Amino acid sequence: MNFTVIRSSGNIVRPSESTPSVTLNLSAIDKLPIYRIYVHSLHVYKHGDKTAAKVICEALSKALVPYYPLAGRIKETSDGELQIACTGDGAWFIEAYTDCSLESVNYLDKVLKMPKDELLPTLPPETYGINPLLRIQFTRFTCQGFVLGITMHHSTADGVGAAQIINAIGEFARGFRHPKIQPEWDREAVPPRLVRAYGETKPFPSPPIPDYQLEPAIFNISQDEINNLKSDFKELTGDYCSTFDVVVASLWCHRTRAIELKKQTKVSLIFLVNARRFLDPPLPEGFYGNCIIPVTITVSSGWLVEASNKEVVQLIRNAKARVSTKIKRWVSSDELDESGYPYASLFAYTTLCISDWISPGFDKIDYGWGPPVQMFPIETVGIIMPIAIVGLPPTPKKGIRLKTYCVHGMHLQSLQQYYKNGT
């Protein structure tokens, strides 16, 4: 998949109105080293017009008024604590265009083969002396469809928060005078002890360098397959389960069989849960900071490869059901609780990490020409933990698309075979 992208020089987009000049504290979760990164994503829109870049750029300027911390900068205190200096400096916006239509590249359906770096925003020149917390590249295709490459600092927002921010830009682009959800900074409402969910009471060490290379793969699971798995669970248990439950259970089983571990080997599944509603009191609707916590399930490889899909789905459901109780213990107890995940296990080949890109609602963001035909995160550095990203296939297809970096080369064919035979 080759096409040429020509970028403009880019420009700083400042808030359209004056904003507070203050320094804001981040929460204990915001400040974790694993969130001191930029997250990159691509959002593919089938339709647009000649005014689309201007409309979105102006909407960004308006959105930076209620979301003024995003126009600021990360700063570090003498004690090494991160804060946001609300300087009003702005976000970074690049307009670009290509020499082809989106249809000719199948709406970027071949996500593993596209020139992703060409569609993501570059940094401002060093002469600007800034590194914006939010960067956007608008790339117009000859069909007037467009791709938004969005880069956002993770310390400012989790997935739910990022979708809220970007959706506000879409609302301003569609003519709203105010976003439907009013943003709330409120980082002090996140109990500092909630960081215990991450299983570390001291600074995280540097990630270990794995002795394996993870190979990328894409697996599409049809809606019919998902419905069959959910129906089987309902028939066997009388309970309903989610699409996430059956898809993740299936992948975890297939992946464990593919890597052929000894039966007594411990294997772990790690996924993230939105903790906002489990806090007492719950966080306000407009809170957009980091409030996702990891849930870890550990069993023996032997048990997992012999278990039925129903048993693994129930294991996941039970783990999610315990989240509320665990949060209360992490927040209220003075005793150390080691039930969070150990940081080092993230990078073990016996662990599978799950990233859910459906729940936040990125697939519904509309700038005036309809929602995206697809969107997906982009990795700009080497993947060093076994991970599967749960997303949606390009519209109008139904079902789930898994983008995985969870096995090395010698095991990839085995994993692919399971999906050829169905889930």
Side-chain angles (χ1 to χ4, degrees), residues 66-302:
Y67 288 98
Y68 63 90
L70 272 295
R73 303 291 171 258
I74 291 278
K75 63 175 287 189
E76 191 169 331
T77 68
S78 58
D79 297 329
E81 294 289 322
L82 292 188
Q83 296 176 316
I84 301 290
C86 299
T87 58
D89 288 347
W92 182 241
F93 189 87
I94 298 174
E95 187 173 355
Y97 63 91
T98 65
D99 58 354
C100 66
S101 68
L102 276 170
E103 185 179 13
S104 68
V105 291
N106 202 22
Y107 301 96
L108 304 187
D109 189 35
K110 304 294 184 182
V111 298
L112 299 180
K113 296 181 179 180
M114 65 181 180
K116 57 188 180 184
D117 291 340
E118 296 296 309
L119 296 169
L120 290 173
T122 55
L123 283 166
E126 289 186 11
T127 53
Y128 282 69
I130 57 174
N131 187 2
L133 298 175
L134 175 60
R135 307 194 298 267
I136 297 177
Q137 178 172 314
F138 174 101
T139 304
R140 186 193 314 278
F141 285 70
T142 58
C143 56
Q144 296 300 327
F146 60 92
V147 173
L148 288 182
I150 300 178
T151 295
M152 188 180 299
H153 200 290
H154 207 328
S155 289
T156 63
D158 59 15
V160 175
Q164 179 181 313
I165 294 165
I166 300 169
N167 188 61
I169 300 173
E171 289 172 344
F172 280 113
R174 301 200 313 274
F176 285 48
R177 295 185 64 183
H178 306 283
K180 285 184 177 179
I181 298 176
Q182 291 300 313
E184 299 280 353
W185 183 258
D186 213 13
R187 305 300 164 107
E188 65 278 3
V190 179
R193 289 179 175 179
L194 188 59
V195 78
R196 292 176 174 182
Y198 288 79
E200 297 285 343
T201 56
K202 57 185 179 180
F204 291 148
S206 298
I209 299 175
D211 57 0
Y212 53 81
Q213 180 176 348
L214 296 165
E215 295 294 328
I218 295 287
F219 302 111
N220 292 312
I221 307 174
S222 72
Q223 191 61 52
D224 286 343
E225 292 173 302
I226 293 168
N227 290 341
N228 287 339
L229 289 170
K230 293 168 76 172
S231 295
D232 288 346
F233 183 83
K234 175 70 166 58
E235 184 177 334
L236 291 168
T237 66
D239 292 330
Y240 292 94
C241 64
S242 70
T243 295
F244 177 91
D245 296 339
V246 295
V247 167
V248 170
S250 176
L251 175 63
W252 192 25
C253 291
H254 291 339
R255 192 246 180 193
T256 304
R257 295 183 185 109
I259 62 178
E260 298 180 323
L261 300 169
K262 294 181 179 179
K263 287 188 176 182
Q264 64 270 29
T265 303
K266 295 296 182 182
V267 293
S268 295
L269 177 73
I270 297 177
F271 57 92
L272 298 170
V273 170
N274 181 358
R276 286 163 171 77
R277 64 188 177 90
F278 296 115
L279 296 178
D280 186 17
L283 292 178
E285 181 186 17
F287 179 86
Y288 59 96
N290 286 283
C291 197
I292 50 176
I293 61 169
V295 173
T296 305
I297 304 172
T298 301
V299 297
S300 70
S301 171

